[in-house]
Protein backbone atom coordinates (compact mmCIF):
# COMPACT_ATOMS: atom_id res chain seq x y z
CA UNK A 1 0.00 0.00 0.00
CA UNK A 2 1.85 3.08 -1.22
CA UNK A 3 0.91 6.56 -2.29
CA UNK A 4 2.05 10.17 -2.22
CA UNK A 5 0.82 13.58 -1.20
CA UNK A 6 -1.12 13.83 -4.46
CA UNK A 7 -2.80 10.40 -4.16
CA UNK A 8 -6.57 10.89 -3.66
CA UNK A 9 -8.03 9.59 -0.42
CA UNK A 10 -10.69 7.58 -2.25
CA UNK A 11 -7.93 5.23 -3.42
CA UNK A 12 -8.40 3.58 -0.02
CA UNK A 13 -11.92 2.53 -1.00
CA UNK A 14 -10.78 1.37 -4.43
CA UNK A 15 -8.06 -0.83 -2.93
CA UNK A 16 -10.38 -2.12 -0.25
CA UNK A 17 -12.92 -3.18 -2.87
CA UNK A 18 -10.46 -5.75 -4.17
CA UNK A 19 -9.65 -7.27 -0.79
CA UNK A 20 -11.09 -10.60 0.32
CA UNK A 21 -11.20 -11.84 3.93
CA UNK A 22 -8.97 -14.83 4.59
CA UNK A 23 -10.84 -15.82 7.77
CA UNK A 24 -14.24 -15.24 9.31
CA UNK A 25 -14.72 -12.17 11.48
CA UNK A 26 -13.38 -12.72 14.96
CA UNK A 27 -11.22 -15.71 14.09
CA UNK A 28 -7.79 -14.09 13.69
CA UNK A 29 -6.09 -10.76 14.32
CA UNK A 30 -5.05 -9.13 11.05
CA UNK A 31 -4.34 -5.42 11.15
CA UNK A 32 -5.27 -3.49 8.01
CA UNK A 33 -4.43 0.14 7.29
CA UNK A 34 -7.10 0.13 4.59
CA UNK A 35 -9.86 -0.93 6.98
CA UNK A 36 -8.79 1.60 9.61
CA UNK A 37 -8.65 4.34 6.97
CA UNK A 38 -12.04 3.44 5.50
CA UNK A 39 -13.59 3.59 8.96
CA UNK A 40 -12.25 7.11 9.45
CA UNK A 41 -13.41 8.30 6.08
CA UNK A 42 -16.87 6.79 6.48
CA UNK A 43 -17.29 8.39 9.90
CA UNK A 44 -16.41 11.79 8.42
CA UNK A 45 -18.74 11.21 5.48
CA UNK A 46 -21.68 10.79 7.86
CA UNK A 47 -21.24 14.40 9.03
CA UNK A 48 -20.24 15.93 5.68
CA UNK A 49 -21.64 13.72 2.90
CA UNK A 50 -21.02 16.17 0.05
CA UNK A 51 -17.30 16.68 0.54
CA UNK A 52 -14.27 14.71 -0.64
CA UNK A 53 -13.58 11.94 1.87
CA UNK A 54 -10.07 13.22 2.60
CA UNK A 55 -11.17 16.76 3.36
CA UNK A 56 -14.16 15.38 5.24
CA UNK A 57 -11.92 13.41 7.57
CA UNK A 58 -9.56 16.36 8.17
CA UNK A 59 -12.48 18.64 8.98
CA UNK A 60 -14.23 16.15 11.24
CA UNK A 61 -11.03 15.43 13.18
CA UNK A 62 -10.36 19.13 13.65
CA UNK A 63 -13.87 19.95 14.86
CA UNK A 64 -14.72 16.81 16.81
CA UNK A 65 -11.35 15.85 18.36
CA UNK A 66 -8.44 18.26 17.98
CA UNK A 67 -10.18 21.54 18.85
CA UNK A 68 -12.06 20.23 21.92
CA UNK A 69 -8.88 18.64 23.31
CA UNK A 70 -6.76 21.72 22.57
CA UNK A 71 -4.40 19.75 20.33
CA UNK A 72 -2.97 22.78 18.55
CA UNK A 73 0.24 21.10 17.35
CA UNK A 74 -1.48 18.25 15.51
CA UNK A 75 -1.91 18.43 11.76
CA UNK A 76 -2.45 16.23 8.73
CA UNK A 77 -0.52 18.71 6.57
CA UNK A 78 3.11 17.87 5.94
CA UNK A 79 3.76 21.45 4.83
CA UNK A 80 2.54 22.79 8.17
CA UNK A 81 4.52 20.17 10.09
CA UNK A 82 7.89 20.75 8.43
CA UNK A 83 7.49 24.53 8.58
CA UNK A 84 7.39 24.35 12.37
CA UNK A 85 9.54 22.85 15.10
CA UNK A 86 9.82 19.24 13.96
CA UNK A 87 12.19 16.28 14.32
CA UNK A 88 13.71 14.71 11.22
CA UNK A 89 14.45 10.98 11.46
CA UNK A 90 17.88 9.63 12.34
CA UNK A 91 19.53 6.24 12.18
CA UNK A 92 22.91 4.57 12.17
CA UNK A 93 24.58 4.54 8.75
CA UNK A 94 26.78 1.81 7.32
CA UNK A 95 29.85 3.76 8.44
CA UNK A 96 28.69 3.54 12.06
CA UNK A 97 27.79 7.22 12.48
CA UNK A 98 24.40 8.79 13.11
CA UNK A 99 22.84 9.77 9.79
CA UNK A 100 20.09 12.31 9.16
CA UNK A 101 17.11 11.14 7.12
CA UNK A 102 14.07 12.93 5.68
CA UNK A 103 10.39 12.87 6.49
CA UNK A 104 9.48 12.19 2.84
CA UNK A 105 9.01 8.44 3.29
CA UNK A 106 5.99 9.19 5.46
CA UNK A 107 4.22 10.63 2.40
CA UNK A 108 3.10 7.11 1.50
CA UNK A 109 0.46 7.06 4.27
CA UNK A 110 -1.09 10.44 3.47
CA UNK A 111 -3.91 9.12 1.28
CA UNK A 112 -4.75 6.65 4.08
CA UNK A 113 -4.14 9.13 6.90
CA UNK A 114 -6.76 7.83 9.38
CA UNK A 115 -4.35 4.89 9.79
CA UNK A 116 -1.42 7.09 10.85
CA UNK A 117 -1.04 10.31 8.87
CA UNK A 118 -1.08 12.84 11.69
CA UNK A 119 1.97 14.83 12.78
CA UNK A 120 1.79 15.69 16.47
CA UNK A 121 3.73 16.54 19.62
CA UNK A 122 4.17 14.80 22.96
CA UNK A 123 2.19 17.61 24.58
CA UNK A 124 -0.78 17.10 22.26
CA UNK A 125 -0.81 13.33 22.62
CA UNK A 126 -0.62 13.74 26.39
CA UNK A 127 -3.88 15.66 26.13
CA UNK A 128 -5.39 12.75 24.21
CA UNK A 129 -4.12 10.23 26.77
CA UNK A 130 -5.42 12.37 29.62
CA UNK A 131 -8.90 12.30 28.09
CA UNK A 132 -8.63 8.51 28.01
CA UNK A 133 -7.90 8.54 31.75
CA UNK A 134 -10.77 10.97 32.37
CA UNK A 135 -13.07 8.65 30.45
CA UNK A 136 -14.18 11.31 28.00
CA UNK A 137 -14.50 14.31 30.33
CA UNK A 138 -12.85 17.53 29.07
CA UNK A 139 -10.92 19.90 31.37
CA UNK A 140 -13.89 22.29 31.08
CA UNK A 141 -16.18 19.65 32.58
CA UNK A 142 -17.94 18.98 29.29
CA UNK A 143 -17.73 15.72 27.43
CA UNK A 144 -15.80 14.78 24.32
CA UNK A 145 -17.53 11.41 24.19
CA UNK A 146 -19.75 9.34 26.46
CA UNK A 147 -18.08 7.09 29.02
CA UNK A 148 -19.84 4.07 27.52
CA UNK A 149 -18.58 4.77 24.00
CA UNK A 150 -15.03 5.42 25.18
CA UNK A 151 -14.82 2.25 27.27
CA UNK A 152 -16.35 0.16 24.47
CA UNK A 153 -13.11 0.65 22.56
CA UNK A 154 -11.32 -1.29 25.30
CA UNK A 155 -13.61 -4.30 25.11
CA UNK A 156 -11.57 -7.45 24.72
CA UNK A 157 -11.16 -8.20 21.04
CA UNK A 158 -8.77 -10.55 19.30
CA UNK A 159 -5.82 -11.99 21.20
CA UNK A 160 -2.54 -10.63 19.85
CA UNK A 161 -0.14 -12.02 22.42
CA UNK A 162 0.22 -13.09 26.01
CA UNK A 163 -2.51 -11.36 28.07
CA UNK A 164 -2.98 -8.82 25.24
CA UNK A 165 -5.95 -8.09 23.00
CA UNK A 166 -6.79 -5.62 20.25
CA UNK A 167 -10.12 -3.84 20.50
CA UNK A 168 -11.46 -0.91 18.49
CA UNK A 169 -8.23 0.92 17.71
CA UNK A 170 -6.75 0.21 21.13
CA UNK A 171 -4.59 -2.50 22.62
CA UNK A 172 -5.31 -3.68 26.13
CA UNK A 173 -3.13 -5.91 28.26
CA UNK A 174 -2.50 -7.10 31.80
CA UNK A 175 1.22 -7.66 31.64
CA UNK A 176 2.81 -8.05 35.06
CA UNK A 177 -0.72 -8.03 36.49
CA UNK A 178 -1.27 -4.34 35.62
CA UNK A 179 -4.02 -3.15 33.26
CA UNK A 180 -2.66 -1.05 30.37
CA UNK A 181 -4.34 0.62 27.41
CA UNK A 182 -2.19 1.89 24.58
CA UNK A 183 -1.61 2.22 20.88
CA UNK A 184 1.60 2.75 18.99
CA UNK A 185 2.51 3.62 15.46
CA UNK A 186 5.44 3.47 13.08
CA UNK A 187 6.55 5.15 9.90
CA UNK A 188 10.04 5.01 8.35
CA UNK A 189 12.35 6.72 10.85
CA UNK A 190 9.74 7.07 13.61
CA UNK A 191 8.27 5.02 16.46
CA UNK A 192 5.52 6.22 18.78
CA UNK A 193 3.31 5.02 21.60
CA UNK A 194 0.97 6.38 24.23
CA UNK A 195 0.17 4.32 27.30
CA UNK A 196 -2.30 4.77 30.15
CA UNK A 197 -2.65 2.74 33.33
CA UNK A 198 -6.32 3.34 34.19
CA UNK A 199 -6.15 1.93 37.73
CA UNK A 200 -3.22 4.19 38.62
CA UNK A 201 -4.46 7.26 36.72
CA UNK A 202 -1.07 7.54 35.03
CA UNK A 203 -0.07 7.85 31.38
CA UNK A 204 3.01 8.40 29.27
CA UNK A 205 3.70 9.41 25.67
CA UNK A 206 6.75 8.34 23.67
CA UNK A 207 7.69 9.92 20.32
CA UNK A 208 11.03 8.85 18.86
CA UNK A 209 12.62 10.02 15.62
CA UNK A 210 14.49 6.76 15.06
CA UNK A 211 13.32 3.24 14.33
CA UNK A 212 15.59 2.09 17.14
CA UNK A 213 13.03 3.72 19.43
CA UNK A 214 11.23 0.37 19.39
CA UNK A 215 13.68 -0.80 22.04
CA UNK A 216 12.39 1.84 24.46
CA UNK A 217 8.68 1.10 24.20
CA UNK A 218 8.33 -2.17 26.06
CA UNK A 219 10.88 -1.36 28.73
CA UNK A 220 9.23 2.00 29.40
CA UNK A 221 6.04 0.14 30.29
CA UNK A 222 8.04 -2.14 32.54
CA UNK A 223 9.75 0.82 34.22
CA UNK A 224 6.36 2.40 34.97
CA UNK A 225 5.29 -0.78 36.74
CA UNK A 226 8.53 -0.81 38.71
CA UNK A 227 8.07 2.79 39.86
CA UNK A 228 4.36 2.60 40.63
CA UNK A 229 4.07 -0.88 42.09
CA UNK A 230 7.53 -1.71 43.37
CA UNK A 231 8.03 -4.52 40.87
CA UNK A 232 11.39 -6.24 40.54
CA UNK A 233 13.91 -4.02 38.73
CA UNK A 234 14.35 -5.38 35.21
CA UNK A 235 13.93 -2.53 32.74
CA UNK A 236 17.35 -0.89 33.08
CA UNK A 237 19.27 -4.17 32.74
CA UNK A 238 17.12 -5.20 29.78
CA UNK A 239 17.86 -1.92 28.00
CA UNK A 240 21.61 -2.30 28.58
CA UNK A 241 21.48 -5.83 27.17
CA UNK A 242 19.52 -4.61 24.15
CA UNK A 243 21.93 -1.72 23.58
CA UNK A 244 24.88 -4.11 23.58
CA UNK A 245 23.09 -6.40 21.13
CA UNK A 246 22.36 -3.46 18.82
CA UNK A 247 25.98 -2.38 18.87
CA UNK A 248 27.02 -5.89 17.90
CA UNK A 249 24.40 -6.02 15.13
CA UNK A 250 25.58 -2.73 13.67
CA UNK A 251 29.22 -3.76 13.88
CA UNK A 252 28.36 -6.87 11.86
CA UNK A 253 26.37 -4.81 9.36
CA UNK A 254 29.27 -2.39 8.89
CA UNK A 255 31.61 -5.29 8.16
CA UNK A 256 29.03 -6.67 5.74
CA UNK A 257 28.67 -3.28 4.06
CA UNK A 258 32.42 -2.90 3.63
CA UNK A 259 32.53 -6.37 2.08
CA UNK A 260 29.80 -5.43 -0.38
CA UNK A 261 31.62 -2.23 -1.30
CA UNK A 262 34.89 -4.05 -1.87
CA UNK A 263 33.16 -6.57 -4.10
CA UNK A 264 31.40 -3.79 -6.03
CA UNK A 265 34.60 -1.83 -6.50
CA UNK A 266 36.44 -4.95 -7.67
CA UNK A 267 33.87 -5.30 -10.45
CA UNK A 268 34.01 -1.66 -11.52
CA UNK A 269 37.43 -0.24 -10.75
CA UNK A 270 40.29 -2.30 -9.30
CA UNK A 271 42.58 0.65 -8.63
CA UNK A 272 43.22 1.35 -4.91
CA UNK A 273 41.58 4.57 -3.71
CA UNK A 274 39.47 4.87 -6.85
CA UNK A 275 36.85 7.63 -6.96
CA UNK A 276 34.00 5.14 -7.28
CA UNK A 277 35.02 3.53 -3.98
CA UNK A 278 35.00 6.90 -2.23
CA UNK A 279 31.64 7.79 -3.76
CA UNK A 280 29.92 4.64 -2.55
CA UNK A 281 31.27 4.95 0.97
CA UNK A 282 29.79 8.43 1.21
CA UNK A 283 26.44 7.38 -0.24
CA UNK A 284 25.89 4.34 1.95
CA UNK A 285 27.09 6.12 5.05
CA UNK A 286 24.64 8.98 4.69
CA UNK A 287 21.49 7.55 3.22
CA UNK A 288 20.96 3.82 3.76
CA UNK A 289 19.26 2.44 6.85
CA UNK A 290 21.17 -0.85 7.16
CA UNK A 291 18.43 -2.77 8.93
CA UNK A 292 15.76 -1.79 6.42
CA UNK A 293 18.11 -2.46 3.53
CA UNK A 294 18.86 -6.01 4.64
CA UNK A 295 15.37 -6.78 5.85
Amino acid sequence: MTGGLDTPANKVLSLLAGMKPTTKFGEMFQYSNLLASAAGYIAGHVDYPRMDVGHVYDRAMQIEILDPLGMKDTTFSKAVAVAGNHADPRDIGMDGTVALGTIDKSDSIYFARPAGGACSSAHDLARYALNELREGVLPSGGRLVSREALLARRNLGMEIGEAATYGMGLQTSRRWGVAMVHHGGAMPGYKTDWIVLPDAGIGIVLLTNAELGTSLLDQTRRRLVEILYGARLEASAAMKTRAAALRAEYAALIVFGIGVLKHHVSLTDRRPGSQIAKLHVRTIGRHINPISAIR
Side-chain angles (χ1 to χ4, degrees), residues 136-200:
V137 177
L138 296 167
S140 64
R143 274 204 168 272
L144 179 72
V145 64
S146 71
R147 180 177 184 272
E148 293 73 21
L150 183 138
L151 294 181
R153 294 153 55 248
R154 303 182 193 174
N155 287 343
L156 300 184
M158 291 303 303
E159 291 187 5
I160 58 174
E162 182 181 356
T165 60
Y166 197 97
M168 191 179 296
L170 290 180
Q171 295 182 30
T172 60
S173 69
R174 292 200 66 88
R175 291 193 67 184
W176 311 296
V178 177
M180 296 186 184
V181 179
H182 74 102
H183 201 289
M187 289 300 294
Y190 298 93
K191 293 289 184 182
T192 68
D193 207 353
W194 64 265
I195 308 155
V196 295
L197 282 60
D199 295 340

Side-chain angles (χ1 to χ4, degrees), residues 218-257:
D218 194 51
Q219 297 309 322
T220 297
R221 297 173 207 161
R222 175 66 193 185
R223 185 59 182 146
L224 272 178
V225 173
E226 293 172 0
I227 293 172
L228 295 173
Y229 298 100
R232 183 172 62 251
L233 300 181
E234 298 178 357
S236 179
M239 279 304 304
K240 290 178 180 178
T241 299
R242 180 57 181 154
L246 284 172
R247 283 193 292 268
E249 290 174 14
Y250 273 103
L253 287 169
I254 291 169
V255 170
F256 170 78

Side-chain angles (χ1 to χ4, degrees), residues 3-140:
L5 296 180
D6 58 349
T7 303
N10 59 18
K11 181 183 177 181
V12 165
L13 304 178
S14 299
L15 291 173
L16 193 58
M19 291 180 63
K20 294 182 179 180
T22 58
T23 65
K24 294 181 180 179
F25 287 110
E27 285 188 348
M28 180 181 294
F29 172 74
Q30 296 181 349
Y31 183 82
S32 168
N33 279 335
L34 291 177
L35 284 172
S37 299
Y41 288 147
I42 291 170
H45 177 76
V46 171
D47 283 343
Y48 307 100
R50 297 185 180 182
M51 294 176 62
D52 165 76
V53 292
H55 293 118
V56 159
Y57 176 75
D58 297 346
R59 180 179 176 86
M61 282 292 295
Q62 192 68 50
I63 294 174
E64 304 293 340
I65 304 295
L66 304 182
D67 286 346
L69 289 178
M71 297 175 65
K72 298 179 180 179
D73 298 332
T74 306
T75 178
F76 292 96
S77 168
K78 176 186 174 183
V80 172
V82 299
N85 183 13
H86 69 284
D88 287 317
R90 284 165 170 77
D91 213 324
I92 307 298
M94 290 293 275
D95 60 357
T97 63
V98 176
L100 178 66
T102 68
I103 198 174
D104 296 341
K105 290 184 178 179
S106 297
D107 295 350
S108 62
I109 197 67
Y110 181 69
F111 81 99
R113 49 193 176 275
C119 296
S120 191
S121 65
H123 181 267
D124 268 17
L125 285 183
R127 287 178 175 270
Y128 185 90
L130 188 59
N131 188 258
E132 194 73 32
L133 288 171
R134 289 173 170 166
E135 298 183 344
V137 177
L138 296 167
S140 64

Side-chain angles (χ1 to χ4, degrees), residues 261 264-265 268-283:
L261 285 175
H264 180 78
V265 171
T268 55
D269 190 341
R270 296 179 181 274
R271 292 174 297 167
S274 64
Q275 289 301 311
I276 193 166
K278 296 176 182 177
L279 172 63
H280 279 271
V281 168
R282 281 201 304 272
T283 302

